[in-house]
Amino acid sequence: MRLRERLRYWFDGTMARGTRALIGWLGLACVVLIVLVTSVVVVFTDEDTEKNGGWLGVAWMSLLRTLDPGTMGGDTGGPLFLGLMLAATLGGIFIVSALISVLTAGLEARIHELRRGKSRLIERRHTVVLGWSEQVFTVIAELVEANQSERRSCVVILTERDKVEMEDEIRRRIPDTGHTRVI
């Protein structure tokens, strides 16, 4: 059981790497499903294999059924062939739905990071305000007024406070910042 524990630990470690690793595992699962279904069809259904273009043709059909469940509607062939195509379709439904959920979760996590200010800041001719206090609203209001003639201006606030909370409070206290972005 030691090898099994090590494999499980390794697998868990790759899963923890994030969205890219999860997409990689789902892609591998898709390839394994396609190769498995194709191989079983080729080994056990000679007539259906020939009718559908050999190994490559059956692999293509398996891929289509894995990625698009509606493709199966027009299939003809023996019961084993149809059963295997159904298996590819059902496996594909699982893989594609998991892929969609992984992509959605990864995108939500990235948007959450960006909203929290966890991205690199590249600005020119900006004003940096260090810290946060009640006076920050007066400073921002003055900077907005001073920068009215500028086409684009930016005020960057460096503090330990939560970015989303700061933005909400600034919008509430200073509703019109004109062309000035407050980051």
PDB file of all heavy atoms in Angstrom, residues 19-47:
ATOM      1  N   THR A  19      -5.710  25.319 -12.228  1.00  0.00           N
ATOM      2  CA  THR A  19      -6.552  25.101 -13.394  1.00  0.00           C
ATOM      3  C   THR A  19      -5.817  24.384 -14.525  1.00  0.00           C
ATOM      4  O   THR A  19      -6.358  23.468 -15.130  1.00  0.00           O
ATOM      5  CB  THR A  19      -7.110  26.446 -13.890  1.00  0.00           C
ATOM      6  OG1 THR A  19      -7.798  27.077 -12.805  1.00  0.00           O
ATOM      7  CG2 THR A  19      -8.068  26.257 -15.038  1.00  0.00           C
ATOM      8  N   ARG A  20      -4.593  24.785 -14.814  1.00  0.00           N
ATOM      9  CA  ARG A  20      -3.856  24.164 -15.923  1.00  0.00           C
ATOM     10  C   ARG A  20      -3.659  22.670 -15.696  1.00  0.00           C
ATOM     11  O   ARG A  20      -3.798  21.864 -16.614  1.00  0.00           O
ATOM     12  CB  ARG A  20      -2.514  24.838 -16.122  1.00  0.00           C
ATOM     13  CG  ARG A  20      -2.637  26.195 -16.750  1.00  0.00           C
ATOM     14  CD  ARG A  20      -1.283  26.776 -17.027  1.00  0.00           C
ATOM     15  NE  ARG A  20      -1.422  28.122 -17.562  1.00  0.00           N
ATOM     16  CZ  ARG A  20      -0.521  29.048 -17.466  1.00  0.00           C
ATOM     17  NH1 ARG A  20       0.625  28.788 -16.867  1.00  0.00           N
ATOM     18  NH2 ARG A  20      -0.726  30.230 -17.970  1.00  0.00           N
ATOM     19  N   ALA A  21      -3.308  22.300 -14.471  1.00  0.00           N
ATOM     20  CA  ALA A  21      -3.100  20.882 -14.166  1.00  0.00           C
ATOM     21  C   ALA A  21      -4.410  20.110 -14.293  1.00  0.00           C
ATOM     22  O   ALA A  21      -4.430  18.988 -14.820  1.00  0.00           O
ATOM     23  CB  ALA A  21      -2.524  20.719 -12.765  1.00  0.00           C
ATOM     24  N   LEU A  22      -5.497  20.698 -13.822  1.00  0.00           N
ATOM     25  CA  LEU A  22      -6.794  20.033 -13.927  1.00  0.00           C
ATOM     26  C   LEU A  22      -7.210  19.847 -15.378  1.00  0.00           C
ATOM     27  O   LEU A  22      -7.722  18.794 -15.761  1.00  0.00           O
ATOM     28  CB  LEU A  22      -7.854  20.822 -13.168  1.00  0.00           C
ATOM     29  CG  LEU A  22      -7.667  20.881 -11.643  1.00  0.00           C
ATOM     30  CD1 LEU A  22      -8.641  21.874 -11.033  1.00  0.00           C
ATOM     31  CD2 LEU A  22      -7.832  19.515 -11.030  1.00  0.00           C
ATOM     32  N   ILE A  23      -6.969  20.844 -16.203  1.00  0.00           N
ATOM     33  CA  ILE A  23      -7.282  20.732 -17.630  1.00  0.00           C
ATOM     34  C   ILE A  23      -6.420  19.641 -18.263  1.00  0.00           C
ATOM     35  O   ILE A  23      -6.893  18.857 -19.093  1.00  0.00           O
ATOM     36  CB  ILE A  23      -7.097  22.090 -18.342  1.00  0.00           C
ATOM     37  CG1 ILE A  23      -8.186  23.065 -17.880  1.00  0.00           C
ATOM     38  CG2 ILE A  23      -7.116  21.927 -19.855  1.00  0.00           C
ATOM     39  CD1 ILE A  23      -7.978  24.479 -18.353  1.00  0.00           C
ATOM     40  N   GLY A  24      -5.165  19.573 -17.863  1.00  0.00           N
ATOM     41  CA  GLY A  24      -4.285  18.519 -18.358  1.00  0.00           C
ATOM     42  C   GLY A  24      -4.799  17.129 -18.003  1.00  0.00           C
ATOM     43  O   GLY A  24      -4.814  16.229 -18.846  1.00  0.00           O
ATOM     44  N   TRP A  25      -5.229  16.930 -16.761  1.00  0.00           N
ATOM     45  CA  TRP A  25      -5.772  15.636 -16.344  1.00  0.00           C
ATOM     46  C   TRP A  25      -7.050  15.303 -17.110  1.00  0.00           C
ATOM     47  O   TRP A  25      -7.262  14.154 -17.499  1.00  0.00           O
ATOM     48  CB  TRP A  25      -6.048  15.605 -14.842  1.00  0.00           C
ATOM     49  CG  TRP A  25      -4.828  15.308 -14.038  1.00  0.00           C
ATOM     50  CD1 TRP A  25      -4.183  16.157 -13.187  1.00  0.00           C
ATOM     51  CD2 TRP A  25      -4.093  14.085 -14.015  1.00  0.00           C
ATOM     52  NE1 TRP A  25      -3.093  15.532 -12.645  1.00  0.00           N
ATOM     53  CE2 TRP A  25      -3.011  14.247 -13.128  1.00  0.00           C
ATOM     54  CE3 TRP A  25      -4.232  12.863 -14.665  1.00  0.00           C
ATOM     55  CZ2 TRP A  25      -2.094  13.243 -12.876  1.00  0.00           C
ATOM     56  CZ3 TRP A  25      -3.310  11.860 -14.404  1.00  0.00           C
ATOM     57  CH2 TRP A  25      -2.268  12.053 -13.522  1.00  0.00           C
ATOM     58  N   LEU A  26      -7.904  16.297 -17.330  1.00  0.00           N
ATOM     59  CA  LEU A  26      -9.134  16.045 -18.089  1.00  0.00           C
ATOM     60  C   LEU A  26      -8.822  15.718 -19.542  1.00  0.00           C
ATOM     61  O   LEU A  26      -9.464  14.861 -20.148  1.00  0.00           O
ATOM     62  CB  LEU A  26     -10.081  17.238 -17.991  1.00  0.00           C
ATOM     63  CG  LEU A  26     -10.735  17.416 -16.626  1.00  0.00           C
ATOM     64  CD1 LEU A  26     -11.467  18.753 -16.555  1.00  0.00           C
ATOM     65  CD2 LEU A  26     -11.681  16.275 -16.321  1.00  0.00           C
ATOM     66  N   GLY A  27      -7.821  16.380 -20.113  1.00  0.00           N
ATOM     67  CA  GLY A  27      -7.392  16.053 -21.471  1.00  0.00           C
ATOM     68  C   GLY A  27      -6.853  14.633 -21.556  1.00  0.00           C
ATOM     69  O   GLY A  27      -7.169  13.887 -22.493  1.00  0.00           O
ATOM     70  N   LEU A  28      -6.074  14.240 -20.558  1.00  0.00           N
ATOM     71  CA  LEU A  28      -5.551  12.875 -20.521  1.00  0.00           C
ATOM     72  C   LEU A  28      -6.686  11.864 -20.379  1.00  0.00           C
ATOM     73  O   LEU A  28      -6.691  10.830 -21.057  1.00  0.00           O
ATOM     74  CB  LEU A  28      -4.560  12.722 -19.364  1.00  0.00           C
ATOM     75  CG  LEU A  28      -3.922  11.344 -19.203  1.00  0.00           C
ATOM     76  CD1 LEU A  28      -3.081  10.993 -20.434  1.00  0.00           C
ATOM     77  CD2 LEU A  28      -3.083  11.299 -17.940  1.00  0.00           C
ATOM     78  N   ALA A  29      -7.668  12.173 -19.533  1.00  0.00           N
ATOM     79  CA  ALA A  29      -8.822  11.281 -19.370  1.00  0.00           C
ATOM     80  C   ALA A  29      -9.579  11.139 -20.690  1.00  0.00           C
ATOM     81  O   ALA A  29     -10.027  10.039 -21.055  1.00  0.00           O
ATOM     82  CB  ALA A  29      -9.750  11.802 -18.281  1.00  0.00           C
ATOM     83  N   CYS A  30      -9.693  12.239 -21.431  1.00  0.00           N
ATOM     84  CA  CYS A  30     -10.368  12.208 -22.730  1.00  0.00           C
ATOM     85  C   CYS A  30      -9.605  11.318 -23.712  1.00  0.00           C
ATOM     86  O   CYS A  30     -10.204  10.491 -24.401  1.00  0.00           O
ATOM     87  CB  CYS A  30     -10.487  13.635 -23.255  1.00  0.00           C
ATOM     88  SG  CYS A  30     -11.474  13.809 -24.740  1.00  0.00           S
ATOM     89  N   VAL A  31      -8.297  11.469 -23.761  1.00  0.00           N
ATOM     90  CA  VAL A  31      -7.472  10.646 -24.663  1.00  0.00           C
ATOM     91  C   VAL A  31      -7.577   9.174 -24.284  1.00  0.00           C
ATOM     92  O   VAL A  31      -7.731   8.307 -25.155  1.00  0.00           O
ATOM     93  CB  VAL A  31      -6.000  11.131 -24.647  1.00  0.00           C
ATOM     94  CG1 VAL A  31      -5.079  10.137 -25.324  1.00  0.00           C
ATOM     95  CG2 VAL A  31      -5.881  12.498 -25.294  1.00  0.00           C
ATOM     96  N   VAL A  32      -7.505   8.868 -22.994  1.00  0.00           N
ATOM     97  CA  VAL A  32      -7.606   7.477 -22.541  1.00  0.00           C
ATOM     98  C   VAL A  32      -8.958   6.882 -22.929  1.00  0.00           C
ATOM     99  O   VAL A  32      -9.039   5.759 -23.432  1.00  0.00           O
ATOM    100  CB  VAL A  32      -7.371   7.370 -21.013  1.00  0.00           C
ATOM    101  CG1 VAL A  32      -7.788   6.014 -20.474  1.00  0.00           C
ATOM    102  CG2 VAL A  32      -5.914   7.657 -20.689  1.00  0.00           C
ATOM    103  N   LEU A  33     -10.027   7.650 -22.728  1.00  0.00           N
ATOM    104  CA  LEU A  33     -11.367   7.175 -23.094  1.00  0.00           C
ATOM    105  C   LEU A  33     -11.454   6.886 -24.590  1.00  0.00           C
ATOM    106  O   LEU A  33     -11.944   5.832 -25.004  1.00  0.00           O
ATOM    107  CB  LEU A  33     -12.422   8.207 -22.683  1.00  0.00           C
ATOM    108  CG  LEU A  33     -13.862   7.889 -23.077  1.00  0.00           C
ATOM    109  CD1 LEU A  33     -14.362   6.657 -22.325  1.00  0.00           C
ATOM    110  CD2 LEU A  33     -14.759   9.087 -22.800  1.00  0.00           C
ATOM    111  N   ILE A  34     -10.962   7.792 -25.400  1.00  0.00           N
ATOM    112  CA  ILE A  34     -11.019   7.633 -26.852  1.00  0.00           C
ATOM    113  C   ILE A  34     -10.202   6.418 -27.298  1.00  0.00           C
ATOM    114  O   ILE A  34     -10.675   5.595 -28.091  1.00  0.00           O
ATOM    115  CB  ILE A  34     -10.539   8.917 -27.562  1.00  0.00           C
ATOM    116  CG1 ILE A  34     -11.542  10.044 -27.334  1.00  0.00           C
ATOM    117  CG2 ILE A  34     -10.316   8.684 -29.052  1.00  0.00           C
ATOM    118  CD1 ILE A  34     -11.023  11.419 -27.684  1.00  0.00           C
ATOM    119  N   VAL A  35      -8.991   6.287 -26.786  1.00  0.00           N
ATOM    120  CA  VAL A  35      -8.135   5.154 -27.168  1.00  0.00           C
ATOM    121  C   VAL A  35      -8.750   3.837 -26.704  1.00  0.00           C
ATOM    122  O   VAL A  35      -8.756   2.842 -27.448  1.00  0.00           O
ATOM    123  CB  VAL A  35      -6.702   5.336 -26.609  1.00  0.00           C
ATOM    124  CG1 VAL A  35      -5.887   4.063 -26.741  1.00  0.00           C
ATOM    125  CG2 VAL A  35      -6.010   6.490 -27.308  1.00  0.00           C
ATOM    126  N   LEU A  36      -9.306   3.818 -25.500  1.00  0.00           N
ATOM    127  CA  LEU A  36      -9.908   2.593 -24.971  1.00  0.00           C
ATOM    128  C   LEU A  36     -11.117   2.164 -25.808  1.00  0.00           C
ATOM    129  O   LEU A  36     -11.201   1.009 -26.239  1.00  0.00           O
ATOM    130  CB  LEU A  36     -10.319   2.807 -23.512  1.00  0.00           C
ATOM    131  CG  LEU A  36     -10.887   1.603 -22.792  1.00  0.00           C
ATOM    132  CD1 LEU A  36      -9.806   0.556 -22.600  1.00  0.00           C
ATOM    133  CD2 LEU A  36     -11.462   2.020 -21.454  1.00  0.00           C
ATOM    134  N   VAL A  37     -12.025   3.101 -26.057  1.00  0.00           N
ATOM    135  CA  VAL A  37     -13.218   2.769 -26.850  1.00  0.00           C
ATOM    136  C   VAL A  37     -12.818   2.348 -28.256  1.00  0.00           C
ATOM    137  O   VAL A  37     -13.317   1.350 -28.784  1.00  0.00           O
ATOM    138  CB  VAL A  37     -14.203   3.965 -26.879  1.00  0.00           C
ATOM    139  CG1 VAL A  37     -15.284   3.768 -27.927  1.00  0.00           C
ATOM    140  CG2 VAL A  37     -14.834   4.171 -25.509  1.00  0.00           C
ATOM    141  N   THR A  38     -11.900   3.090 -28.878  1.00  0.00           N
ATOM    142  CA  THR A  38     -11.456   2.767 -30.236  1.00  0.00           C
ATOM    143  C   THR A  38     -10.820   1.381 -30.290  1.00  0.00           C
ATOM    144  O   THR A  38     -11.121   0.584 -31.192  1.00  0.00           O
ATOM    145  CB  THR A  38     -10.460   3.832 -30.737  1.00  0.00           C
ATOM    146  OG1 THR A  38     -11.094   5.112 -30.699  1.00  0.00           O
ATOM    147  CG2 THR A  38     -10.002   3.537 -32.147  1.00  0.00           C
ATOM    148  N   SER A  39      -9.977   1.089 -29.336  1.00  0.00           N
ATOM    149  CA  SER A  39      -9.301  -0.214 -29.323  1.00  0.00           C
ATOM    150  C   SER A  39     -10.289  -1.362 -29.166  1.00  0.00           C
ATOM    151  O   SER A  39     -10.185  -2.382 -29.867  1.00  0.00           O
ATOM    152  CB  SER A  39      -8.274  -0.260 -28.190  1.00  0.00           C
ATOM    153  OG  SER A  39      -7.294   0.725 -28.398  1.00  0.00           O
ATOM    154  N   VAL A  40     -11.262  -1.205 -28.276  1.00  0.00           N
ATOM    155  CA  VAL A  40     -12.256  -2.269 -28.078  1.00  0.00           C
ATOM    156  C   VAL A  40     -13.098  -2.444 -29.341  1.00  0.00           C
ATOM    157  O   VAL A  40     -13.387  -3.569 -29.763  1.00  0.00           O
ATOM    158  CB  VAL A  40     -13.139  -1.987 -26.842  1.00  0.00           C
ATOM    159  CG1 VAL A  40     -14.276  -2.990 -26.740  1.00  0.00           C
ATOM    160  CG2 VAL A  40     -12.298  -2.008 -25.574  1.00  0.00           C
ATOM    161  N   VAL A  41     -13.483  -1.330 -29.979  1.00  0.00           N
ATOM    162  CA  VAL A  41     -14.261  -1.426 -31.225  1.00  0.00           C
ATOM    163  C   VAL A  41     -13.449  -2.152 -32.290  1.00  0.00           C
ATOM    164  O   VAL A  41     -13.950  -3.051 -32.972  1.00  0.00           O
ATOM    165  CB  VAL A  41     -14.690  -0.021 -31.727  1.00  0.00           C
ATOM    166  CG1 VAL A  41     -15.191  -0.082 -33.163  1.00  0.00           C
ATOM    167  CG2 VAL A  41     -15.759   0.569 -30.825  1.00  0.00           C
ATOM    168  N   VAL A  42     -12.184  -1.775 -32.456  1.00  0.00           N
ATOM    169  CA  VAL A  42     -11.341  -2.382 -33.490  1.00  0.00           C
ATOM    170  C   VAL A  42     -11.121  -3.875 -33.221  1.00  0.00           C
ATOM    171  O   VAL A  42     -11.164  -4.690 -34.148  1.00  0.00           O
ATOM    172  CB  VAL A  42      -9.991  -1.631 -33.605  1.00  0.00           C
ATOM    173  CG1 VAL A  42      -8.990  -2.398 -34.452  1.00  0.00           C
ATOM    174  CG2 VAL A  42     -10.208  -0.238 -34.182  1.00  0.00           C
ATOM    175  N   VAL A  43     -10.924  -4.245 -31.975  1.00  0.00           N
ATOM    176  CA  VAL A  43     -10.653  -5.643 -31.641  1.00  0.00           C
ATOM    177  C   VAL A  43     -11.902  -6.514 -31.790  1.00  0.00           C
ATOM    178  O   VAL A  43     -11.832  -7.644 -32.286  1.00  0.00           O
ATOM    179  CB  VAL A  43     -10.075  -5.761 -30.205  1.00  0.00           C
ATOM    180  CG1 VAL A  43     -10.052  -7.203 -29.725  1.00  0.00           C
ATOM    181  CG2 VAL A  43      -8.677  -5.161 -30.163  1.00  0.00           C
ATOM    182  N   PHE A  44     -13.075  -5.998 -31.389  1.00  0.00           N
ATOM    183  CA  PHE A  44     -14.263  -6.852 -31.319  1.00  0.00           C
ATOM    184  C   PHE A  44     -15.300  -6.642 -32.421  1.00  0.00           C
ATOM    185  O   PHE A  44     -16.239  -7.427 -32.523  1.00  0.00           O
ATOM    186  CB  PHE A  44     -14.952  -6.679 -29.954  1.00  0.00           C
ATOM    187  CG  PHE A  44     -14.134  -7.219 -28.821  1.00  0.00           C
ATOM    188  CD1 PHE A  44     -13.510  -6.361 -27.926  1.00  0.00           C
ATOM    189  CD2 PHE A  44     -13.964  -8.588 -28.659  1.00  0.00           C
ATOM    190  CE1 PHE A  44     -12.754  -6.856 -26.879  1.00  0.00           C
ATOM    191  CE2 PHE A  44     -13.203  -9.088 -27.614  1.00  0.00           C
ATOM    192  CZ  PHE A  44     -12.592  -8.222 -26.715  1.00  0.00           C
ATOM    193  N   THR A  45     -15.188  -5.619 -33.227  1.00  0.00           N
ATOM    194  CA  THR A  45     -16.208  -5.390 -34.267  1.00  0.00           C
ATOM    195  C   THR A  45     -15.530  -5.089 -35.599  1.00  0.00           C
ATOM    196  O   THR A  45     -15.429  -3.933 -36.008  1.00  0.00           O
ATOM    197  CB  THR A  45     -17.150  -4.232 -33.874  1.00  0.00           C
ATOM    198  OG1 THR A  45     -16.405  -3.024 -33.773  1.00  0.00           O
ATOM    199  CG2 THR A  45     -17.866  -4.493 -32.573  1.00  0.00           C
ATOM    200  N   ASP A  46     -15.133  -6.140 -36.293  1.00  0.00           N
ATOM    201  CA  ASP A  46     -14.435  -5.983 -37.570  1.00  0.00           C
ATOM    202  C   ASP A  46     -15.280  -5.248 -38.605  1.00  0.00           C
ATOM    203  O   ASP A  46     -14.807  -4.336 -39.279  1.00  0.00           O
ATOM    204  CB  ASP A  46     -14.036  -7.350 -38.138  1.00  0.00           C
ATOM    205  CG  ASP A  46     -12.990  -8.043 -37.276  1.00  0.00           C
ATOM    206  OD1 ASP A  46     -12.249  -7.315 -36.591  1.00  0.00           O
ATOM    207  OD2 ASP A  46     -12.932  -9.285 -37.285  1.00  0.00           O
ATOM    208  N   GLU A  47     -16.527  -5.631 -38.734  1.00  0.00           N
ATOM    209  CA  GLU A  47     -17.399  -5.052 -39.763  1.00  0.00           C
ATOM    210  C   GLU A  47     -17.632  -3.555 -39.503  1.00  0.00           C
ATOM    211  O   GLU A  47     -17.532  -2.729 -40.416  1.00  0.00           O
ATOM    212  CB  GLU A  47     -18.732  -5.804 -39.788  1.00  0.00           C
ATOM    213  CG  GLU A  47     -19.645  -5.367 -40.927  1.00  0.00           C
ATOM    214  CD  GLU A  47     -20.938  -6.160 -40.947  1.00  0.00           C
ATOM    215  OE1 GLU A  47     -20.873  -7.410 -40.796  1.00  0.00           O
ATOM    216  OE2 GLU A  47     -21.990  -5.541 -41.103  1.00  0.00           O
TER     217      GLU A  47
END
